[in-house]
PDB file of all heavy atoms in Angstrom:
ATOM      1  N   CYS A  22      39.259 -39.845  14.554  1.00 97.00           N
ATOM      2  CA  CYS A  22      39.156 -38.690  13.667  1.00 97.00           C
ATOM      3  C   CYS A  22      39.659 -37.465  14.412  1.00 97.00           C
ATOM      4  O   CYS A  22      39.020 -37.018  15.368  1.00 97.00           O
ATOM      5  CB  CYS A  22      37.724 -38.485  13.216  1.00 97.00           C
ATOM      6  SG  CYS A  22      37.467 -36.961  12.283  1.00 97.00           S
ATOM      7  N   ALA A  23      40.774 -36.937  13.955  1.00 96.00           N
ATOM      8  CA  ALA A  23      41.357 -35.755  14.579  1.00 96.00           C
ATOM      9  C   ALA A  23      40.989 -34.522  13.772  1.00 96.00           C
ATOM     10  O   ALA A  23      41.242 -34.474  12.562  1.00 96.00           O
ATOM     11  CB  ALA A  23      42.865 -35.899  14.665  1.00 96.00           C
ATOM     12  N   ALA A  24      40.394 -33.546  14.438  1.00 95.00           N
ATOM     13  CA  ALA A  24      39.986 -32.306  13.786  1.00 95.00           C
ATOM     14  C   ALA A  24      40.925 -31.174  14.159  1.00 95.00           C
ATOM     15  O   ALA A  24      41.389 -31.084  15.295  1.00 95.00           O
ATOM     16  CB  ALA A  24      38.561 -31.946  14.194  1.00 95.00           C
ATOM     17  N   SER A  25      41.197 -30.309  13.199  1.00 92.00           N
ATOM     18  CA  SER A  25      42.043 -29.150  13.455  1.00 92.00           C
ATOM     19  C   SER A  25      41.536 -27.981  12.620  1.00 92.00           C
ATOM     20  O   SER A  25      40.781 -28.160  11.674  1.00 92.00           O
ATOM     21  CB  SER A  25      43.506 -29.455  13.132  1.00 92.00           C
ATOM     22  OG  SER A  25      43.645 -29.792  11.767  1.00 92.00           O
ATOM     23  N   ILE A  28      37.761 -24.431  14.758  1.00 82.00           N
ATOM     24  CA  ILE A  28      36.705 -25.211  15.408  1.00 82.00           C
ATOM     25  C   ILE A  28      36.134 -24.401  16.562  1.00 82.00           C
ATOM     26  O   ILE A  28      36.872 -23.955  17.433  1.00 82.00           O
ATOM     27  CB  ILE A  28      37.265 -26.547  15.909  1.00 82.00           C
ATOM     28  CG1 ILE A  28      37.838 -27.340  14.736  1.00 82.00           C
ATOM     29  CG2 ILE A  28      36.161 -27.350  16.614  1.00 82.00           C
ATOM     30  CD1 ILE A  28      38.624 -28.550  15.155  1.00 82.00           C
ATOM     31  N   TYR A  32      29.681 -28.104  18.150  1.00 88.00           N
ATOM     32  CA  TYR A  32      29.707 -28.746  16.845  1.00 88.00           C
ATOM     33  C   TYR A  32      29.331 -30.214  16.994  1.00 88.00           C
ATOM     34  O   TYR A  32      29.409 -30.774  18.080  1.00 88.00           O
ATOM     35  CB  TYR A  32      31.075 -28.611  16.174  1.00 88.00           C
ATOM     36  CG  TYR A  32      32.224 -29.165  16.978  1.00 88.00           C
ATOM     37  CD1 TYR A  32      32.678 -30.469  16.780  1.00 88.00           C
ATOM     38  CD2 TYR A  32      32.882 -28.394  17.937  1.00 88.00           C
ATOM     39  CE1 TYR A  32      33.725 -30.979  17.503  1.00 88.00           C
ATOM     40  CE2 TYR A  32      33.933 -28.900  18.670  1.00 88.00           C
ATOM     41  CZ  TYR A  32      34.360 -30.181  18.453  1.00 88.00           C
ATOM     42  OH  TYR A  32      35.405 -30.684  19.178  1.00 88.00           O
ATOM     43  N   MET A  34      30.041 -34.062  15.570  1.00 96.00           N
ATOM     44  CA  MET A  34      30.939 -34.931  14.809  1.00 96.00           C
ATOM     45  C   MET A  34      30.210 -36.214  14.468  1.00 96.00           C
ATOM     46  O   MET A  34      29.319 -36.654  15.205  1.00 96.00           O
ATOM     47  CB  MET A  34      32.212 -35.222  15.593  1.00 96.00           C
ATOM     48  CG  MET A  34      33.070 -33.981  15.794  1.00 96.00           C
ATOM     49  SD  MET A  34      34.739 -34.331  16.373  1.00 96.00           S
ATOM     50  CE  MET A  34      35.515 -34.880  14.851  1.00 96.00           C
ATOM     51  N   ARG A  71      33.785 -38.919  21.930  1.00 94.00           N
ATOM     52  CA  ARG A  71      34.628 -37.790  21.541  1.00 94.00           C
ATOM     53  C   ARG A  71      35.414 -37.278  22.735  1.00 94.00           C
ATOM     54  O   ARG A  71      34.991 -37.424  23.887  1.00 94.00           O
ATOM     55  CB  ARG A  71      33.796 -36.670  20.928  1.00 94.00           C
ATOM     56  CG  ARG A  71      32.777 -36.066  21.871  1.00 94.00           C
ATOM     57  CD  ARG A  71      31.800 -35.185  21.108  1.00 94.00           C
ATOM     58  NE  ARG A  71      32.372 -33.879  20.774  1.00 94.00           N
ATOM     59  CZ  ARG A  71      31.822 -33.030  19.931  1.00 94.00           C
ATOM     60  NH1 ARG A  71      30.685 -33.335  19.312  1.00 94.00           N
ATOM     61  NH2 ARG A  71      32.378 -31.863  19.694  1.00 94.00           N
ATOM     62  N   ASP A  72      36.537 -36.664  22.430  1.00 92.00           N
ATOM     63  CA  ASP A  72      37.364 -35.994  23.420  1.00 92.00           C
ATOM     64  C   ASP A  72      37.427 -34.535  22.989  1.00 92.00           C
ATOM     65  O   ASP A  72      38.159 -34.192  22.050  1.00 92.00           O
ATOM     66  CB  ASP A  72      38.752 -36.636  23.456  1.00 92.00           C
ATOM     67  CG  ASP A  72      39.650 -36.032  24.527  1.00 92.00           C
ATOM     68  OD1 ASP A  72      39.439 -34.866  24.921  1.00 92.00           O
ATOM     69  OD2 ASP A  72      40.574 -36.727  24.963  1.00 92.00           O
ATOM     70  N   ASN A  73      36.632 -33.697  23.645  1.00 88.00           N
ATOM     71  CA  ASN A  73      36.545 -32.299  23.228  1.00 88.00           C
ATOM     72  C   ASN A  73      37.876 -31.562  23.381  1.00 88.00           C
ATOM     73  O   ASN A  73      38.195 -30.664  22.607  1.00 88.00           O
ATOM     74  CB  ASN A  73      35.450 -31.578  24.014  1.00 88.00           C
ATOM     75  CG  ASN A  73      34.061 -32.042  23.626  1.00 88.00           C
ATOM     76  OD1 ASN A  73      33.836 -32.440  22.478  1.00 88.00           O
ATOM     77  ND2 ASN A  73      33.137 -32.025  24.556  1.00 88.00           N
ATOM     78  N   ALA A  74      38.641 -31.936  24.379  1.00 90.00           N
ATOM     79  CA  ALA A  74      39.935 -31.274  24.600  1.00 90.00           C
ATOM     80  C   ALA A  74      40.888 -31.540  23.436  1.00 90.00           C
ATOM     81  O   ALA A  74      41.751 -30.708  23.124  1.00 90.00           O
ATOM     82  CB  ALA A  74      40.552 -31.754  25.904  1.00 90.00           C
ATOM     83  N   LYS A  75      40.723 -32.690  22.800  1.00 92.00           N
ATOM     84  CA  LYS A  75      41.599 -33.057  21.687  1.00 92.00           C
ATOM     85  C   LYS A  75      40.926 -32.861  20.328  1.00 92.00           C
ATOM     86  O   LYS A  75      41.528 -33.152  19.294  1.00 92.00           O
ATOM     87  CB  LYS A  75      42.039 -34.523  21.824  1.00 92.00           C
ATOM     88  CG  LYS A  75      42.884 -34.816  23.043  1.00 92.00           C
ATOM     89  CD  LYS A  75      43.289 -36.285  23.081  1.00 92.00           C
ATOM     90  CE  LYS A  75      44.161 -36.587  24.285  1.00 92.00           C
ATOM     91  NZ  LYS A  75      44.556 -38.024  24.335  1.00 92.00           N
ATOM     92  N   ASN A  76      39.651 -32.414  20.331  1.00 91.00           N
ATOM     93  CA  ASN A  76      38.887 -32.287  19.075  1.00 91.00           C
ATOM     94  C   ASN A  76      38.961 -33.585  18.269  1.00 91.00           C
ATOM     95  O   ASN A  76      39.206 -33.574  17.057  1.00 91.00           O
ATOM     96  CB  ASN A  76      39.396 -31.113  18.234  1.00 91.00           C
ATOM     97  CG  ASN A  76      39.093 -29.770  18.862  1.00 91.00           C
ATOM     98  OD1 ASN A  76      38.083 -29.612  19.545  1.00 91.00           O
ATOM     99  ND2 ASN A  76      39.971 -28.813  18.642  1.00 91.00           N
ATOM    100  N   THR A  77      38.762 -34.677  18.953  1.00 94.00           N
ATOM    101  CA  THR A  77      38.879 -35.995  18.332  1.00 94.00           C
ATOM    102  C   THR A  77      37.621 -36.814  18.599  1.00 94.00           C
ATOM    103  O   THR A  77      37.094 -36.795  19.713  1.00 94.00           O
ATOM    104  CB  THR A  77      40.110 -36.740  18.859  1.00 94.00           C
ATOM    105  OG1 THR A  77      41.278 -35.989  18.531  1.00 94.00           O
ATOM    106  CG2 THR A  77      40.226 -38.122  18.242  1.00 94.00           C
ATOM    107  N   ALA A  78      37.171 -37.507  17.569  1.00 96.00           N
ATOM    108  CA  ALA A  78      36.044 -38.424  17.705  1.00 96.00           C
ATOM    109  C   ALA A  78      36.522 -39.841  17.445  1.00 96.00           C
ATOM    110  O   ALA A  78      37.498 -40.056  16.709  1.00 96.00           O
ATOM    111  CB  ALA A  78      34.927 -38.060  16.732  1.00 96.00           C
ATOM    112  N   TYR A  79      35.832 -40.784  18.058  1.00 98.00           N
ATOM    113  CA  TYR A  79      36.201 -42.186  17.920  1.00 98.00           C
ATOM    114  C   TYR A  79      34.967 -43.003  17.530  1.00 98.00           C
ATOM    115  O   TYR A  79      33.840 -42.630  17.843  1.00 98.00           O
ATOM    116  CB  TYR A  79      36.756 -42.728  19.231  1.00 98.00           C
ATOM    117  CG  TYR A  79      37.902 -41.925  19.800  1.00 98.00           C
ATOM    118  CD1 TYR A  79      37.683 -40.923  20.739  1.00 98.00           C
ATOM    119  CD2 TYR A  79      39.204 -42.158  19.372  1.00 98.00           C
ATOM    120  CE1 TYR A  79      38.724 -40.170  21.245  1.00 98.00           C
ATOM    121  CE2 TYR A  79      40.254 -41.410  19.875  1.00 98.00           C
ATOM    122  CZ  TYR A  79      40.012 -40.422  20.813  1.00 98.00           C
ATOM    123  OH  TYR A  79      41.053 -39.679  21.306  1.00 98.00           O
TER     124      TYR A  79
END
Side-chain angles (χ1 to χ4, degrees):
C22 173
S25 61
I28 301 170
Y32 57 94
M34 294 193 77
R71 62 192 282 168
D72 183 335
N73 290 330
K75 296 181 179 180
N76 291 328
T77 299
Y79 306 94

